[in-house]
């Protein structure tokens, strides 16, 4: 199969950006959650987006929110979204057909979505002034586009540079995230909100793991091509 990614320095740089994005976000999440001590932050119970709330403590969407390092989380999300978009444009070659174009569009939607979550907080103030709409659209946009992107990458894995095992993993991750999405939304809109953080992460983490798989796989493929320029791509897929 013909590769649908670029080659050379551009692809290597793009792969690194796609890989680093979720790592930055996870690092920001760990640091921000550790600083939230009153009351202690619970990753199963608390909203993920509440980590990005800055300012005084408040009760938002049914939970007490007190994130002293909210700006760290917001910055992590914006960096993640930006790196994903730039990385996708460096990695994928739109001249190679519909699939790379679709993946790039999904990357833009997911990257813009996670950036909007960081820019427009889920605060009471933004509920009052209407800016919460940008936060909501961003959150739901990345949840849908990010998981669909994981499936698109997984089902086209070999031309991208993923091994068969990683292709299956990416497809499974995106599918699991899409299944978790309506469960999360049901938990939200019924007002039950039981372990909302668990359901939210069940939608988000598959996206982030999928991006890490994509970035590391493309980086490995590019390194393999640089050292074995005559080796066919299917040979790596079988390794």
């Amino acid at each position: 199969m013909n590769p649908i990614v670029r080659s050379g320095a551009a692809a290597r740089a793009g792969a690194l950006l796609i890989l680093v994005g979720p790592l930055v976000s996870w690092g920001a999440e760990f640091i921000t959650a550790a600083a939230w001590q009153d009351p202690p932050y619970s990753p199963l119970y608390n909203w993920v987006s509440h980590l990005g709330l800055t300012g005084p403590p408040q009760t938002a969407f049914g939970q007490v929110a007190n994130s002293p390092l909210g700006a760290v989380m917001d910055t992590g999300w914006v960096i993640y979204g930006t790196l994903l978009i730039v990385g996708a444009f460096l990695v994928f070659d739109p001249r190679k057909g519909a699939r790379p174009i679709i993946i790039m569009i999904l990357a833009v939607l997911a990257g813009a979505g996670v950036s909007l979550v960081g820019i427009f907080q889920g605060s009471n103030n933004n509920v009052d002034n209407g800016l919460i709409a940008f936060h909501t659209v961003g959150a739901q946009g990345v949840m849908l586009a990010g998981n669909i992107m994981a499936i698109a990458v997984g089902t086209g894995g070999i031309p991208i540079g993923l091994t068969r095992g990683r292709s299956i993993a990416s497809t499974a991750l995106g599918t699991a995230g899409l299944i978790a999405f309506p469960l999360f939304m049901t938990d939200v809109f019924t007002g039950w909100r039981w372990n909302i953080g668990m359901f939210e992460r069940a939608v988000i983490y598959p996206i982030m793991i999928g991006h890490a798989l994509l970035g590391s796989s493309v980086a490995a493929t590019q390194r393999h091509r640089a050292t074995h320029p005559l080796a066919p791509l299917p040979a790596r897929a079988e390794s």
Side-chain angles (χ1 to χ4, degrees):
M1 295 184 182
N2 294 323
I4 61 174
V5 299
R6 304 179 193 274
S7 60
R12 290 194 294 273
L16 181 61
L17 295 181
I18 294 174
L19 172 61
V20 168
L23 301 182
V24 169
S25 183
W26 271 319
E29 181 179 340
F30 178 81
I31 293 170
T32 307
W36 179 330
Q37 293 295 326
D38 186 20
Y41 183 82
S42 171
L44 297 182
Y45 170 75
N46 289 108
W47 294 87
V48 176
S49 59
H50 275 17
L51 287 170
L53 291 180
T54 58
Q58 59 184 289
T59 299
F61 296 95
Q63 293 184 3
V64 176
N66 182 14
S67 186
L69 297 181
V72 173
M73 189 71 260
D74 292 332
T75 301
W77 282 324
V78 173
I79 291 175
Y80 180 14
T82 303
L83 294 183
L84 174 61
I85 294 172
V86 176
F89 273 81
L90 289 174
V91 166
F92 292 96
D93 189 345
R95 299 169 296 180
K96 299 296 184 178
R99 186 177 296 272
I101 295 175
I102 291 172
I103 293 174
M104 291 167 70
I105 292 173
L106 291 169
V108 170
L109 293 175
V114 71
S115 296
L116 285 174
V117 171
I119 295 171
F120 299 97
Q121 302 172 14
S123 63
N124 291 325
N125 185 53
N126 280 346
V127 171
D128 294 338
N129 61 28
L131 293 178
I132 192 65
F134 292 100
H135 180 91
T136 302
V137 169
Q140 295 182 14
V142 66
M143 287 178 177
L144 290 173
N147 281 301
I148 295 173
M149 178 181 172
I151 295 174
V153 167
T155 54
I158 293 177
I160 295 171
L162 276 68
T163 62
R164 181 167 285 106
R166 290 194 171 205
S167 298
I168 294 173
S170 184
T171 303
L173 285 166
T175 302
L178 287 181
I179 292 173
F181 179 74
L183 299 177
F184 165 66
M185 298 304 292
T186 300
D187 196 26
V188 172
F189 286 112
T190 60
W192 188 29
R193 296 181 181 176
W194 178 76
N195 277 352
I196 198 74
M198 178 185 71
F199 283 105
E200 197 172 14
R201 284 173 170 82
V203 184
I204 297 171
Y205 280 6
I207 300 169
M208 301 173 72
I209 297 171
H211 289 153
L213 282 177
L214 171 60
S216 60
S217 297
V218 173
T221 299
Q222 293 298 319
R223 184 168 59 250
H224 182 80
R225 287 178 181 171
T227 55
H228 302 84
L230 299 179
L233 185 60
R236 169 170 168 75
E238 297 295 337
S239 63

